Amino acid sequence: MNQEGLLFGKPGIKKKKKKHHKSIMHNRDGTCYLCMILDENYRKYDTLEEHHIFMAGRKPLAEEYGLKVYLCFRHHTTLGGKDSIHNNYDLVRKLQDEAQRAFEVEFPDKDFIRVFGKNYKKD
């Protein structure tokens, strides 16, 4: 069969697979991170959403260093009202502070501010 003019993928070029690193802040055990720290509720949920602590341009770094937690529907969607991580800037800042502290414990040889470009600790 003459294959001239047919479109095929480029030979020998493989797409680089992203590694999904484990969270250094929260075990994926069915609990919601915010339910635990805010309400001391350790209930197991059937469905949880993975939430990267740093978004936009820093999301790949959050994935690389395991700076993510697992949240229930109430805490991860905008329908959760004031309890939703997407509606509450104070919660976002609290998680960013905790993420920086976890990073500094897990990776003592790396400078958080150099990697992420900002200090998130509330000191």
Side-chain angles (χ1 to χ4, degrees), residues 25-111:
M25 298 177 65
H26 184 207
N27 293 329
R28 191 173 195 155
D29 60 359
T31 56
C32 170
Y33 188 79
L34 288 177
C35 284
M36 289 189 311
I37 66 170
L38 297 176
D39 306 327
E40 295 183 17
N41 173 2
Y42 295 87
R43 175 182 163 210
K44 305 275 185 183
Y45 292 90
D46 291 333
T47 343
L48 293 173
E49 296 286 328
E50 185 177 80
H51 178 74
H52 293 85
I53 306 299
F54 302 102
M55 300 302 291
R58 293 183 180 103
K59 187 174 180 178
L61 289 171
E63 179 65 45
E64 180 180 341
Y65 291 104
L67 300 177
K68 55 189 174 181
V69 294
Y70 303 97
L71 303 177
C72 67
F73 184 75
R74 173 179 143 222
H75 286 115
H76 198 261
T77 65
T78 54
L79 300 176
K82 69 175 183 62
D83 291 336
S84 168
I85 193 70
H86 297 285
N87 290 340
N88 190 328
Y89 185 70
D90 292 335
L91 277 180
V92 170
R93 293 294 293 151
K94 179 175 180 55
L95 287 183
Q96 289 171 337
D97 176 58
E98 291 178 13
Q100 181 171 348
R101 293 176 193 280
F103 178 95
E104 290 169 348
V105 168
E106 190 72 20
F107 305 102
D109 57 323
K110 297 191 188 276
D111 181 15

